[in-house]
Amino acid sequence: MALNLAQLRAFLAVVDEGGFGTAAEALGVTQSAVSHAVAALERALGHPVLIRRGKPRPTAFGAEVVAHARVAVAASVAITDLAARRGGAARGTIKLAAPPTVCQGLLPDLMARWEVEFPHVRVRVFEGEDDEVAEWLANGTVEMAVVVDPPPGDGVLVGEDAFHALVRTDHPLAGVGEVHVADLADDPFLLSCGGCERHVRQVHAGLPFDPLHRVRELGTLLAMVRAGVGVSIVPGLVASMLVPGLTLVPLRPRVVRRLVAAGPPGREWHPAVTALVDSARPV
């Protein structure tokens, strides 16, 4: 039995999505169809490509197949793109990666706009930390991303996000118009180290910096500040995620992260990505 692109797509979807159910959702087919496609691929190749105990992961042979499968599927997509350019209208499914704060504070409005402007384009969102998002875009796991402080190049600036102090609403600094980072020194400091650590260190430049806790998950950080464990410094987009009892206060010195919507660096973009990026330009 000869292998085919549907089998390779199913295999890559399981690897990228981390399961047969989520792979089926991503591909818009049934879980049974994904299972049958991967099984057919293994029969065609004569070797197992996935370890199915627990979270599915590639076998040693499967790990070698992944890179070749990506090339084959990418070539198929490239041919489809040629046809899309001829047709003129943006269409297709685009995987877009962004940090959690961007996913919650910026993307909802953009996606609502895209849904109206590009009815034939489906956008699937993947959350990741800053370095993960950049890596996924570079290696082809996603076709588009909102990246933080990228080097100069293609892309559209969709936002500049200033960092703020995160405190409880009953904190003495909660009602002030602006706070200097030195004024936070009397409180235990909780460091958000998911993707903002370098910005937080930039805010503290020249000042003592000794975090009580290093917290990766933003939800955990919010809960700890609300519980009175300490204070923190976070991007302004966190405002969309605040729970009662917490507030943001503008911070000095002012540190801003640049948010840029872009396709993969050094490669031609999918036509739908070009359309989405162009549409994301601030009006």
Side-chain angles (χ1 to χ4, degrees), residues 25-95:
E25 212 174 299
L27 295 173
V29 299
T30 65
Q31 183 171 333
S32 175
V34 173
S35 298
H36 284 305
V38 174
L41 175 65
E42 291 176 325
R43 288 195 300 271
L45 297 176
H47 300 281
V49 294
L50 286 175
I51 298 171
R52 290 168 169 78
R53 294 188 304 275
K55 180 180 178 180
R57 60 194 188 280
T59 61
F61 173 69
E64 294 183 65
V65 171
V66 165
H68 298 290
R70 291 200 191 283
V71 171
V73 171
S76 172
V77 170
I79 294 170
T80 304
D81 290 350
L82 288 175
R85 292 189 191 97
R86 291 269 182 163
R91 61 181 64 247
T93 297
I94 299 299
K95 289 180 285 187

Side-chain angles (χ1 to χ4, degrees), residues 250-272:
L251 186 67
R252 288 186 295 116
R254 190 170 188 269
V255 171
V256 174
R257 62 176 185 165
R258 298 172 61 254
L259 306 175
V260 175
R267 299 200 308 276
E268 190 171 3
W269 296 1
H270 188 291

Side-chain angles (χ1 to χ4, degrees), residues 117-196:
E117 292 184 18
F118 309 107
H120 300 297
V121 176
R122 179 189 178 207
V123 178
R124 299 189 59 244
V125 175
F126 294 79
E127 285 189 353
E129 302 302 343
D130 297 3
D131 55 347
E132 291 176 319
V133 169
E135 180 182 350
W136 292 342
L137 186 62
N139 68 19
T141 301
V142 298
E143 293 86 19
M144 180 179 175
V146 177
V147 287
V148 176
D149 294 334
D154 295 331
V156 167
L157 181 69
V158 293
E160 290 189 336
D161 191 19
F163 281 74
H164 290 63
L166 173 66
V167 299
R168 284 165 50 119
T169 51
D170 60 358
H171 191 281
L173 297 174
V176 303
E178 187 178 62
V179 61
H180 192 281
V181 65
D183 297 331
L184 302 177
D186 293 336
D187 292 274
F189 188 77
L190 311 178
L191 174 62
S192 174
C193 55
C196 301

